[in-house]
Amino acid sequence: MEAILQLRNIKKTYFINKPNELKALNGIDLDVYEGEYIAIVGESGSGKSTLMNILGLVDSFDGGEFLFDGININEFTDEQLCELRNEKIGFVFQNFNLIPRLTAQRNVELPMLYYGKKRKERKEKAEELLGLVGMEKRVMHYPNQLSGGQKQRVAIARALANEPSIILADEPTGSLDSETSKKIMKIFSKLNKQGKTIIVITHSSEVARCANRVINLKDGKIVK
Ligand SMILES: Nc1ncnc2c1ncn2[C@@H]1O[C@H](COP(=O)(O)OP(=O)(O)O)[C@@H](O)[C@H]1O
Ligand SMILES: [Mg+2]
């Protein structure tokens, strides 16, 4: 079976050719298979978020190759990358990144809006996804009327809006207490059992334990 994501000697340097040049990623080789649940761990500044942003087609890299579903994306235009990202990837962040002026339901509908889905379809899908994460009773709540854990549930529902095959989460429990974190991790495990590929950055060994594979980053490299 071929990996859905293949990184070959990926490098990312900030301030290229400047005296204070900074190698954020220093030759990353990584294969991610469909249905995997991967935790990325490592000290602050080790390159976790940089790696995630490259995996999520958000950031460029300046060396190496990236095959997505077997296709080399090095020559893709920004537009092609954007399309691939919207279709295949759902993002979850530490600080939820919900839109304050929109209800939970509207937040979840937002990614579908860009796809031109009809109003009724959007509403139904948003309700279904909010139900999946246990938020069926908070559909009309605004973010500031929700707890941290509830906000993260809404954010996960939003990440699922366009039925991505891959979920990327950067410290999704970083702002949550340990009880709430456990509940959020249960949702990720459930999604993984439903076939989603999940990659989670975390500081927590408890969170990392939920994964099938742990990748340890140090100074921009994968270490054993
Ligand atoms: N936009 C940027 N410009 C310059 N340096 C950056 C930028 N983003 C990250 N870095 C640097 O790259 C290294 C890796 O950062 P990051 O991937 O955010 O690490 P982590 O998520 O593991 O804490 C750090 O030394 C950080 O300071
Ligand atoms: Mg980070």
Side-chain angles (χ1 to χ4, degrees), residues 35 59 65 70 81 85 97 111-112 179 203:
D59 242 355
E65 280 192 339
L81 287 173
R85 184 192 321 129
N97 293 7
M112 298 184 246
E179 251 343 279
H203 268 110

Side-chain angles (χ1 to χ4, degrees), residues 70-186:
I71 298 164
N72 191 328
I73 61 142
N74 286 42
E75 303 299 323
F76 273 30
T77 62
D78 284 350
E79 205 172 31
Q80 286 173 306
L81 287 173
C82 188
E83 200 173 309
L84 190 60
R85 184 192 321 129
N86 288 338
E87 188 187 336
K88 299 281 188 171
I89 302 171
F91 292 94
V92 178
F93 306 95
Q94 176 171 354
N95 295 320
F96 326 120
N97 293 7
L98 297 174
I99 310 280
R101 286 180 50 241
L102 298 180
T103 60
Q105 185 188 307
R106 292 291 190 162
N107 266 285
V108 178
E109 281 185 26
L110 204 55
M112 298 184 246
L113 201 62
Y114 298 128
Y115 257 71
K117 257 200 190 160
K118 297 242 157 52
R119 168 118 182 67
K120 183 160 172 283
E121 245 181 290
R122 288 201 312 262
K123 187 167 173 278
E124 283 170 5
K125 185 73 185 171
E127 280 168 1
E128 176 202 321
L129 292 172
L130 285 165
L132 183 77
V133 297
M135 287 293 288
E136 57 281 335
K137 293 195 175 127
R138 300 286 187 280
V139 173
M140 297 316 278
H141 279 56
Y142 288 87
N144 68 2
Q145 300 171 321
L146 299 171
S147 70
Q150 290 172 335
K151 281 183 216 172
Q152 196 58 299
R153 286 166 193 264
V154 174
I156 293 171
R158 179 185 57 186
L160 295 168
N162 289 327
E163 303 185 347
S165 48
I166 304 166
I167 304 282
L168 298 181
D170 194 344
E171 310 260 12
T173 63
S175 307
L176 305 175
D177 62 74
S178 69
E179 251 343 279
T180 310
S181 297
K182 272 187 203 150
K183 290 180 187 153
I184 294 297
M185 295 322 294
K186 274 214 178 107

